[in-house]
Coordinates of all heavy atoms in Angstrom, one line a residue:
M191 N -126.8 -5.1 89.7 CA -126.8 -5.6 91.1 C -126.1 -4.6 92.0 O -125.0 -4.1 91.6 CB -126.2 -6.9 91.2 CG -126.2 -7.5 92.6 SD -125.5 -9.1 92.7 CE -123.7 -8.7 92.8
F192 N -126.7 -4.2 93.1 CA -126.0 -3.3 94.1 C -125.6 -4.2 95.3 O -126.4 -4.9 95.8 CB -126.9 -2.2 94.6 CG -127.2 -1.2 93.6 CD1 -128.5 -1.1 93.1 CD2 -126.3 -0.3 93.1 CE1 -128.9 -0.1 92.2 CE2 -126.6 0.6 92.1 CZ -127.9 0.7 91.7
I193 N -124.4 -4.1 95.7 CA -123.9 -4.7 96.9 C -124.0 -3.7 98.0 O -123.3 -2.7 98.0 CB -122.5 -5.3 96.8 CG1 -122.4 -6.3 95.7 CG2 -122.0 -5.9 98.1 CD1 -121.1 -6.8 95.3
F194 N -124.9 -4.0 99.0 CA -125.1 -3.0 100.1 C -123.9 -3.1 101.1 O -123.7 -4.2 101.7 CB -126.4 -3.2 100.8 CG -126.7 -2.2 101.8 CD1 -126.9 -0.9 101.4 CD2 -126.8 -2.5 103.2 CE1 -127.2 0.1 102.4 CE2 -127.0 -1.6 104.1 CZ -127.2 -0.2 103.7
I195 N -123.1 -2.1 101.2 CA -122.0 -2.1 102.1 C -122.3 -1.3 103.4 O -121.4 -1.1 104.2 CB -120.7 -1.6 101.5 CG1 -120.8 -0.2 101.0 CG2 -120.3 -2.6 100.4 CD1 -119.5 0.5 100.6
G196 N -123.5 -0.7 103.5 CA -123.8 0.1 104.6 C -123.7 1.6 104.2 O -123.4 1.9 103.1
Y197 N -123.9 2.5 105.2 CA -123.7 3.9 104.9 C -123.4 4.6 106.2 O -123.7 4.1 107.3 CB -125.0 4.4 104.2 CG -126.1 4.8 105.2 CD1 -126.4 6.1 105.5 CD2 -126.7 3.8 105.9 CE1 -127.3 6.4 106.5 CE2 -127.7 4.1 106.9 CZ -128.0 5.4 107.2 OH -128.9 5.7 108.1
V198 N -122.8 5.8 106.0 CA -122.5 6.7 107.2 C -123.2 8.0 107.0 O -122.8 8.7 106.0 CB -121.0 6.8 107.4 CG1 -120.7 7.7 108.6 CG2 -120.3 5.5 107.6
P199 N -124.1 8.4 107.8 CA -124.7 9.8 107.5 C -123.7 10.9 107.8 O -122.9 10.8 108.7 CB -125.9 9.8 108.6 CG -125.6 8.8 109.6 CD -124.7 7.8 108.9
N200 N -123.8 11.9 106.9 CA -122.8 13.0 107.1 C -123.4 14.0 108.1 O -123.8 15.1 107.7 CB -122.6 13.7 105.7 CG -121.5 14.7 105.7 OD1 -120.7 14.8 106.7 ND2 -121.4 15.5 104.7
T201 N -123.4 13.6 109.3 CA -124.0 14.5 110.4 C -122.9 14.9 111.5 O -123.3 15.4 112.5 CB -125.1 13.7 111.1 OG1 -124.6 12.5 111.5 CG2 -126.3 13.5 110.1
E202 N -121.7 14.6 111.2 CA -120.6 14.9 112.1 C -120.7 16.4 112.6 O -120.5 16.6 113.8 CB -119.3 14.6 111.4 CG -118.1 14.6 112.4 CD -118.1 13.3 113.3 OE1 -118.6 12.3 112.9 OE2 -117.6 13.4 114.4
F203 N -120.9 17.3 111.7 CA -121.0 18.7 112.0 C -122.1 19.1 113.0 O -122.1 20.2 113.6 CB -121.1 19.6 110.8 CG -122.4 19.5 110.0 CD1 -123.3 20.5 110.2 CD2 -122.7 18.4 109.3 CE1 -124.5 20.5 109.5 CE2 -123.9 18.3 108.6 CZ -124.8 19.4 108.7
L204 N -123.0 18.2 113.2 CA -124.2 18.4 114.1 C -123.9 17.8 115.5 O -124.8 18.0 116.4 CB -125.4 17.9 113.5 CG -125.9 18.6 112.3 CD1 -127.1 17.8 111.6 CD2 -126.4 20.0 112.6
K205 N -122.8 17.1 115.7 CA -122.5 16.5 116.9 C -122.5 17.5 118.0 O -121.8 18.5 117.9 CB -121.2 15.7 116.8 CG -121.4 14.2 116.8 CD -120.1 13.5 116.9 CE -120.4 12.0 117.2 NZ -119.2 11.2 117.1
G206 N -123.1 17.2 119.2 CA -123.1 18.1 120.3 C -124.2 19.1 120.2 O -124.5 19.9 121.1
L207 N -124.9 19.2 119.0 CA -126.0 20.1 118.8 C -127.3 19.4 118.9 O -128.1 19.6 119.9 CB -125.9 20.9 117.5 CG -124.7 21.8 117.3 CD1 -124.6 22.3 115.9 CD2 -124.9 23.0 118.2
V208 N -127.6 18.5 118.0 CA -128.8 17.8 118.0 C -128.6 16.4 118.5 O -127.5 15.8 118.4 CB -129.5 17.7 116.6 CG1 -129.9 19.0 116.1 CG2 -128.6 17.0 115.6
N209 N -129.6 15.8 119.1 CA -129.4 14.4 119.7 C -129.3 13.4 118.6 O -130.1 13.5 117.6 CB -130.6 14.1 120.6 CG -130.6 14.8 121.9 OD1 -129.6 15.3 122.3 ND2 -131.8 14.9 122.5
M210 N -128.4 12.5 118.7 CA -128.2 11.4 117.7 C -128.0 10.1 118.4 O -127.7 10.1 119.6 CB -127.0 11.7 116.9 CG -127.0 12.9 116.0 SD -125.6 13.0 115.0 CE -125.1 14.7 115.2
N211 N -128.2 9.0 117.6 CA -127.9 7.7 118.2 C -126.5 7.3 118.0 O -125.7 8.1 117.6 CB -128.9 6.6 117.6 CG -128.7 6.4 116.2 OD1 -127.7 6.8 115.6 ND2 -129.6 5.6 115.5
Q212 N -126.1 6.1 118.3 CA -124.7 5.7 118.2 C -124.2 5.6 116.8 O -123.0 5.5 116.6 CB -124.5 4.3 119.0 CG -125.2 3.1 118.3 CD -126.6 2.9 118.9 OE1 -127.4 3.8 119.0 NE2 -126.9 1.6 119.1
W213 N -125.0 5.7 115.8 CA -124.6 5.6 114.4 C -124.7 7.0 113.8 O -124.7 7.2 112.5 CB -125.5 4.7 113.6 CG -125.3 3.3 114.1 CD1 -124.2 2.5 114.0 CD2 -126.3 2.5 114.7 NE1 -124.4 1.3 114.6 CE2 -125.7 1.2 115.0 CE3 -127.6 2.7 115.1 CZ2 -126.4 0.2 115.7 CZ3 -128.3 1.7 115.8 CH2 -127.7 0.5 116.0
N214 N -124.7 8.1 114.6 CA -124.8 9.4 114.1 C -126.1 9.7 113.3 O -126.1 10.6 112.4 CB -123.6 9.9 113.4 CG -122.4 10.2 114.3 OD1 -122.5 10.1 115.5 ND2 -121.3 10.5 113.7
E215 N -127.1 9.0 113.6 CA -128.4 9.3 112.9 C -129.2 10.2 113.9 O -129.2 10.0 115.1 CB -129.2 8.0 112.7 CG -128.5 7.0 111.8 CD -129.1 5.6 111.9 OE1 -129.8 5.3 112.8 OE2 -128.9 4.8 110.9
I216 N -129.8 11.2 113.3 CA -130.5 12.2 114.1 C -131.8 11.7 114.6 O -132.6 11.1 113.9 CB -130.7 13.5 113.2 CG1 -129.4 14.0 112.7 CG2 -131.4 14.6 114.0 CD1 -129.5 15.0 111.5
I217 N -132.0 12.0 115.9 CA -133.3 11.5 116.5 C -134.3 12.6 116.4 O -134.1 13.8 116.7 CB -133.0 11.2 118.0 CG1 -132.0 10.1 118.2 CG2 -134.3 10.9 118.8 CD1 -131.5 9.9 119.6
V218 N -135.5 12.3 115.8 CA -136.6 13.2 115.6 C -137.9 12.6 116.1 O -138.0 11.4 116.3 CB -136.7 13.5 114.0 CG1 -135.6 14.3 113.5 CG2 -137.0 12.3 113.2
D219 N -138.8 13.5 116.3 CA -140.2 13.1 116.7 C -141.0 12.9 115.4 O -140.5 13.0 114.3 CB -140.8 14.0 117.7 CG -141.1 15.4 117.2 OD1 -141.1 15.6 115.9 OD2 -141.4 16.3 118.0
A220 N -142.3 12.7 115.6 CA -143.2 12.5 114.4 C -143.3 13.7 113.5 O -143.7 13.5 112.3 CB -144.6 12.1 114.9
D221 N -143.0 14.9 114.0 CA -143.0 16.1 113.2 C -141.6 16.3 112.6 O -141.3 17.4 112.0 CB -143.3 17.3 114.0 CG -144.8 17.4 114.1 OD1 -145.6 16.8 113.4 OD2 -145.3 18.2 115.0
M222 N -140.7 15.4 112.7 CA -139.3 15.5 112.2 C -138.5 16.6 113.0 O -137.5 17.1 112.5 CB -139.2 15.9 110.7 CG -140.0 14.9 109.8 SD -139.2 13.2 109.9 CE -140.6 12.2 110.0
A223 N -139.0 16.9 114.2 CA -138.4 17.9 115.0 C -137.2 17.3 115.8 O -137.4 16.2 116.3 CB -139.4 18.6 115.9
T224 N -136.1 18.0 115.9 CA -135.0 17.5 116.7 C -135.2 18.0 118.1 O -136.3 18.7 118.4 CB -133.7 18.0 116.2 OG1 -133.6 19.4 116.3 CG2 -133.5 17.7 114.7
N225 N -134.3 17.8 119.0 CA -134.4 18.4 120.4 C -134.2 19.9 120.4 O -134.5 20.5 121.4 CB -133.3 17.7 121.3 CG -131.9 17.9 120.8 OD1 -131.6 17.5 119.6 ND2 -131.0 18.4 121.6
I226 N -133.7 20.5 119.3 CA -133.5 21.9 119.2 C -134.8 22.6 118.6 O -135.1 22.3 117.4 CB -132.3 22.3 118.4 CG1 -131.0 21.6 118.9 CG2 -132.1 23.8 118.4 CD1 -130.4 22.0 120.2
P227 N -135.5 23.5 119.3 CA -136.7 24.1 118.7 C -136.3 24.7 117.4 O -135.4 25.5 117.3 CB -137.1 25.1 119.8 CG -136.5 24.6 121.1 CD -135.2 23.9 120.7
G228 N -137.1 24.5 116.4 CA -136.9 25.1 115.1 C -136.0 24.3 114.1 O -135.8 24.8 113.0
V229 N -135.4 23.3 114.6 CA -134.4 22.5 113.8 C -135.1 21.2 113.5 O -135.4 20.4 114.4 CB -133.1 22.3 114.5 CG1 -132.1 21.4 113.7 CG2 -132.4 23.6 114.8
Y230 N -135.2 20.9 112.2 CA -135.8 19.7 111.7 C -134.9 18.8 110.9 O -133.9 19.4 110.3 CB -137.1 20.0 110.9 CG -138.1 20.8 111.7 CD1 -138.0 22.2 111.9 CD2 -139.2 20.1 112.3 CE1 -138.9 22.8 112.7 CE2 -140.1 20.8 113.1 CZ -139.9 22.2 113.3 OH -140.8 22.8 114.1
A231 N -135.1 17.6 110.8 CA -134.3 16.7 110.0 C -135.1 15.7 109.2 O -136.3 15.4 109.6 CB -133.3 15.9 110.8
A232 N -134.6 15.2 108.1 CA -135.4 14.3 107.3 C -134.6 13.4 106.5 O -133.4 13.6 106.3 CB -136.3 15.1 106.3
G233 N -135.1 12.3 105.9 CA -134.4 11.4 105.0 C -133.5 10.5 105.7 O -133.6 10.1 106.8
D234 N -132.4 10.1 104.9 CA -131.5 9.1 105.4 C -130.7 9.5 106.6 O -130.1 8.7 107.3 CB -130.5 8.7 104.3 CG -131.1 7.8 103.3 OD1 -132.3 7.5 103.4 OD2 -130.4 7.3 102.4
S235 N -130.7 10.8 107.0 CA -129.9 11.3 108.1 C -130.6 11.0 109.5 O -130.0 11.1 110.5 CB -129.7 12.8 108.0 OG -130.9 13.5 108.1
I236 N -131.9 10.6 109.5 CA -132.6 10.4 110.7 C -132.7 8.9 111.1 O -132.5 8.0 110.3 CB -134.0 11.0 110.7 CG1 -134.9 10.3 109.7 CG2 -133.9 12.5 110.4 CD1 -136.4 10.7 109.8
V237 N -133.0 8.7 112.4 CA -133.3 7.3 112.8 C -134.6 6.9 112.2 O -135.7 7.5 112.5 CB -133.4 7.3 114.4 CG1 -133.7 5.9 114.9 CG2 -132.1 7.8 115.0
K238 N -134.6 5.8 111.4 CA -135.8 5.2 110.9 C -135.5 3.9 110.3 O -134.4 3.5 110.1 CB -136.4 6.1 109.9 CG -135.7 6.3 108.6 CD -136.5 7.2 107.7 CE -135.8 7.4 106.3 NZ -136.6 8.2 105.4
R239 N -136.6 3.2 110.0 CA -136.4 1.8 109.5 C -136.2 1.6 108.0 O -135.3 1.0 107.6 CB -137.7 1.0 110.0 CG -137.6 -0.5 109.7 CD -138.8 -1.2 110.2 NE -138.7 -2.6 109.8 CZ -138.3 -3.6 110.6 NH1 -137.9 -3.3 111.8 NH2 -138.3 -4.8 110.2
Y240 N -137.0 2.4 107.2 CA -137.0 2.2 105.8 C -136.4 3.4 105.1 O -136.9 4.5 105.2 CB -138.4 1.9 105.2 CG -139.0 0.7 105.8 CD1 -140.1 0.7 106.7 CD2 -138.4 -0.6 105.6 CE1 -140.6 -0.4 107.2 CE2 -138.9 -1.7 106.1 CZ -140.0 -1.7 107.0 OH -140.6 -2.8 107.6
R241 N -135.2 3.2 104.4 CA -134.6 4.3 103.7 C -134.8 4.2 102.2 O -134.1 3.5 101.5 CB -133.1 4.3 104.1 CG -132.8 4.6 105.5 CD -131.4 4.4 105.9 NE -131.4 4.2 107.4 CZ -131.5 5.1 108.3 NH1 -131.7 6.4 107.9 NH2 -131.5 4.8 109.6
Q242 N -135.8 5.0 101.8 CA -136.2 5.0 100.4 C -136.4 6.4 99.9 O -136.6 7.3 100.8 CB -137.5 4.1 100.2 CG -137.3 2.6 100.4 CD -136.6 1.9 99.3 OE1 -137.3 1.6 98.3 NE2 -135.4 1.6 99.4
V243 N -136.4 6.6 98.6 CA -136.7 8.0 98.1 C -138.1 8.4 98.6 O -138.3 9.6 99.0 CB -136.7 8.0 96.6 CG1 -137.2 9.3 96.0 CG2 -135.2 7.7 96.1
T244 N -139.0 7.5 98.5 CA -140.4 7.9 98.9 C -140.5 8.2 100.4 O -141.2 9.2 100.8 CB -141.4 6.7 98.6 OG1 -140.8 5.5 99.1 CG2 -141.7 6.6 97.1
T245 N -139.8 7.5 101.3 CA -139.9 7.9 102.7 C -139.2 9.2 103.0 O -139.6 10.0 103.8 CB -139.3 6.7 103.6 OG1 -138.0 6.5 103.3 CG2 -140.1 5.5 103.4
A246 N -138.0 9.4 102.2 CA -137.3 10.7 102.4 C -138.2 11.9 102.0 O -138.2 12.9 102.7 CB -136.0 10.6 101.6
V247 N -138.9 11.7 100.9 CA -139.8 12.8 100.4 C -140.9 13.1 101.4 O -141.2 14.2 101.7 CB -140.4 12.4 99.0 CG1 -141.5 13.4 98.6 CG2 -139.3 12.5 98.0
G248 N -141.4 12.0 102.0 CA -142.5 12.1 103.0 C -142.0 12.8 104.2 O -142.6 13.8 104.8
D249 N -140.8 12.4 104.7 CA -140.1 13.1 105.9 C -140.0 14.6 105.6 O -140.3 15.4 106.5 CB -138.7 12.5 106.1 CG -138.7 11.1 106.5 OD1 -139.7 10.5 106.9 OD2 -137.6 10.5 106.4
A250 N -139.5 14.9 104.4 CA -139.2 16.3 104.1 C -140.4 17.1 104.0 O -140.4 18.3 104.4 CB -138.4 16.3 102.7
T251 N -141.5 16.5 103.5 CA -142.8 17.2 103.5 C -143.3 17.6 104.9 O -143.6 18.7 105.2 CB -143.9 16.4 102.8 OG1 -143.4 16.0 101.5 CG2 -145.2 17.1 102.7
I252 N -143.2 16.6 105.8 CA -143.6 16.8 107.2 C -142.7 17.9 107.8 O -143.2 18.8 108.5 CB -143.5 15.5 108.0 CG1 -144.6 14.5 107.5 CG2 -143.7 15.7 109.5 CD1 -144.4 13.1 107.9
A253 N -141.4 17.7 107.6 CA -140.4 18.7 108.2 C -140.7 20.1 107.7 O -140.7 21.1 108.5 CB -139.0 18.3 107.8
A254 N -141.0 20.3 106.4 CA -141.2 21.6 105.9 C -142.5 22.2 106.4 O -142.5 23.4 106.8 CB -141.3 21.5 104.3
L255 N -143.5 21.4 106.5 CA -144.8 21.9 107.1 C -144.6 22.3 108.6 O -145.1 23.3 109.1 CB -145.9 20.9 106.9 CG -146.4 20.7 105.5 CD1 -147.3 19.5 105.4 CD2 -147.1 21.9 104.9
A256 N -143.9 21.4 109.3 CA -143.7 21.7 110.7 C -142.9 22.9 110.9 O -143.1 23.7 111.9 CB -143.1 20.4 111.4
A257 N -141.9 23.1 110.1 CA -141.0 24.3 110.2 C -141.8 25.5 109.9 O -141.7 26.6 110.6 CB -139.8 24.2 109.2
S258 N -142.6 25.5 108.9 CA -143.5 26.6 108.5 C -144.4 26.9 109.7 O -144.6 28.1 110.1 CB -144.3 26.2 107.3 OG -145.3 27.1 107.1
N259 N -145.0 25.9 110.3 CA -145.9 26.1 111.5 C -145.2 26.7 112.6 O -145.7 27.6 113.3 CB -146.5 24.7 111.9 CG -147.6 24.9 112.8 OD1 -148.4 25.9 112.8 ND2 -147.7 24.0 113.8
Y260 N -143.9 26.3 112.8 CA -143.1 26.8 113.9 C -142.9 28.3 113.7 O -143.0 29.1 114.7 CB -141.8 26.0 114.0 CG -140.8 26.6 115.0 CD1 -140.9 26.2 116.3 CD2 -139.8 27.4 114.6 CE1 -140.0 26.7 117.3 CE2 -138.9 27.9 115.6 CZ -139.0 27.5 116.9 OH -138.1 28.0 117.8
I261 N -142.5 28.7 112.5 CA -142.2 30.1 112.2 C -143.5 30.9 112.4 O -143.5 32.0 113.0 CB -141.7 30.3 110.8 CG1 -140.3 29.7 110.7 CG2 -141.7 31.7 110.4 CD1 -139.7 29.5 109.3
H262 N -144.6 30.4 111.9 CA -145.9 31.0 112.1 C -146.3 31.3 113.5 O -146.7 32.4 113.9 CB -147.0 30.2 111.4 CG -148.4 30.8 111.5 ND1 -148.7 32.0 110.8 CD2 -149.5 30.5 112.2 CE1 -150.0 32.3 111.1 NE2 -150.4 31.4 112.0
Q263 N -146.0 30.3 114.4 CA -146.3 30.4 115.8 C -145.4 31.5 116.4 O -145.8 32.2 117.3 CB -146.1 29.1 116.5 CG -147.3 28.2 116.3 CD -147.1 26.8 117.0 OE1 -146.0 26.5 117.5 NE2 -148.1 26.0 116.9
L264 N -144.1 31.5 116.0 CA -143.2 32.6 116.5 C -143.7 33.9 116.2 O -143.7 34.9 117.0 CB -141.8 32.4 115.9 CG -140.9 31.3 116.5 CD1 -139.5 31.4 115.8 CD2 -140.7 31.4 118.0
K265 N -144.1 34.1 114.9 CA -144.6 35.4 114.4 C -145.9 35.8 115.2 O -146.0 37.0 115.6 CB -144.9 35.3 112.9 CG -143.7 35.4 112.1 CD -144.2 35.5 110.6 CE -143.0 35.5 109.7 NZ -143.4 35.3 108.3
T266 N -146.8 34.9 115.4 CA -148.0 35.1 116.2 C -147.7 35.5 117.6 O -148.3 36.5 118.1 CB -148.9 33.9 116.2 OG1 -149.1 33.4 114.8 CG2 -150.3 34.1 116.8
K267 N -146.8 34.8 118.2 CA -146.4 35.1 119.6 C -145.7 36.5 119.7 O -146.1 37.3 120.6 CB -145.3 34.1 120.0 CG -145.1 34.1 121.5 CD -144.1 33.0 121.9 CE -143.5 33.2 123.3 NZ -142.2 32.7 123.4
E268 N -144.9 36.8 118.7 CA -144.2 38.1 118.6 C -145.2 39.3 118.5 O -145.2 40.3 119.2 CB -143.3 38.1 117.4 CG -142.2 39.2 117.5 CD -141.3 39.1 116.3 OE1 -140.5 38.1 116.3 OE2 -141.3 39.9 115.4
L269 N -146.2 39.0 117.6 CA -147.3 40.0 117.4 C -148.1 40.2 118.6 O -148.4 41.4 119.0 CB -148.2 39.6 116.2 CG -149.3 40.5 115.8 CD1 -148.7 41.8 115.2 CD2 -150.2 39.8 114.8
H270 N -148.4 39.1 119.3 CA -149.2 39.2 120.5 C -148.4 40.0 121.6 O -149.0 40.8 122.3 CB -149.5 37.7 121.1 CG -150.3 37.7 122.3 ND1 -151.6 38.0 122.4 CD2 -149.9 37.5 123.6 CE1 -152.0 37.9 123.6 NE2 -151.0 37.6 124.4
E271 N -147.1 39.7 121.7 CA -146.3 40.4 122.7 C -146.3 41.9 122.4 O -146.3 42.7 123.3 CB -144.9 39.8 122.8 CG -144.9 38.5 123.6 CD -143.6 37.7 123.4 OE1 -142.7 38.2 122.8 OE2 -143.5 36.6 124.0
T272 N -146.2 42.3 121.1 CA -146.1 43.7 120.7 C -147.4 44.4 121.1 O -147.4 45.5 121.6 CB -145.8 43.8 119.2 OG1 -144.7 43.0 118.9 CG2 -145.6 45.2 118.8
L273 N -148.5 43.7 120.8 CA -149.8 44.3 121.0 C -150.2 44.4 122.5 O -151.0 45.2 122.9 CB -150.9 43.4 120.3 CG -150.9 43.5 118.8 CD1 -151.9 42.5 118.2 CD2 -151.1 44.8 118.2
T274 N -149.6 43.5 123.3 CA -149.9 43.5 124.8 C -148.9 44.3 125.6 O -149.0 44.3 126.8 CB -150.1 42.1 125.3 OG1 -148.9 41.4 125.0 CG2 -151.3 41.4 124.7
Q275 N -147.9 45.0 125.0 CA -146.9 45.7 125.7 C -147.5 47.0 126.2 O -148.3 47.6 125.6 CB -145.7 46.0 124.8 CG -144.7 44.9 124.9 CD -143.5 45.1 124.0 OE1 -143.5 46.2 123.3 NE2 -142.6 44.2 123.9
Ligands
FAD242 C1 -127.0 2.3 95.8 C2 -128.3 2.8 96.3 C3 -129.5 2.4 95.6 C4 -130.7 2.8 96.0 N1 -131.8 2.5 95.4 C5 -133.0 2.9 95.7 C6 -134.2 2.6 95.0 O1 -134.2 1.9 94.0 N2 -135.4 3.2 95.4 C7 -135.5 4.0 96.5 O2 -136.5 4.5 96.8 N3 -134.4 4.3 97.2 C8 -133.2 3.8 96.9 N4 -132.0 4.1 97.6 C9 -132.2 5.0 98.8 C10 -132.4 6.4 98.5 O3 -131.4 6.8 97.5 C11 -132.3 7.3 99.7 O4 -133.1 6.7 100.7 C12 -132.6 8.7 99.4 O5 -131.8 9.2 98.4 C13 -132.5 9.6 100.7 O6 -132.7 10.9 100.4 P1 -132.0 12.0 101.2 O7 -132.4 13.3 100.6 O8 -132.3 11.8 102.7 O9 -130.4 11.8 101.1 P2 -129.6 12.0 99.7 O10 -130.3 11.6 98.5 O11 -128.3 11.2 100.1 O12 -129.3 13.5 99.6 C14 -128.4 14.1 100.6 C15 -127.7 15.3 99.8 O13 -127.1 16.1 100.8 C16 -125.8 16.4 100.3 N5 -125.0 16.7 101.4 C17 -124.4 15.9 102.3 N6 -123.7 16.6 103.3 C18 -123.9 17.9 103.0 C19 -123.4 19.1 103.6 N7 -122.7 19.1 104.7 N8 -123.8 20.2 103.1 C20 -124.6 20.3 102.0 N9 -125.0 19.2 101.3 C21 -124.7 18.0 101.8 C22 -125.4 15.2 99.5 O14 -124.4 15.5 98.6 C23 -126.7 14.8 98.8 O15 -126.9 15.5 97.6 C24 -130.8 3.7 97.2 C25 -129.6 4.1 97.8 C26 -128.4 3.6 97.4 C27 -127.1 4.1 98.1

């Protein structure tokens, strides 16, 4: 038997950087993106309803794909700027 006593996300070091709620849970959109471009969060550290291994893995998959897409877009933009200079 587990007695649930609550939990505190270890996000103190991100205070003042990414937006959080009153419980220091990171606010993300559907892509797991924070308010800082290129910064993503997943799992128990974010604002969400169900905290399970399976939801954490799903969040992380989305965050990784979104981060990859973000980097790809940066590279494409950089290449476009180089070619049009
Ligand atoms: C007692 C208990 C029982 C549970 N039972 C179940 C269950 O049966 N089934 C289920 O699906 N879910 C269960 N859960 C929930 C599940 O464990 C979590 O939802 C899941 O582990 C969240 O994954 P996560 O990667 O977000 O966080 P975590 O698994 O907590 O991983 C975060 C990792 O980050 C590390 N870390 C923290 N701060 C830093 C830092 N500053 N720098 C570097 N590393 C850092 C931590 O040491 C940790 O290894 C249970 C949780 C608890 C507490």
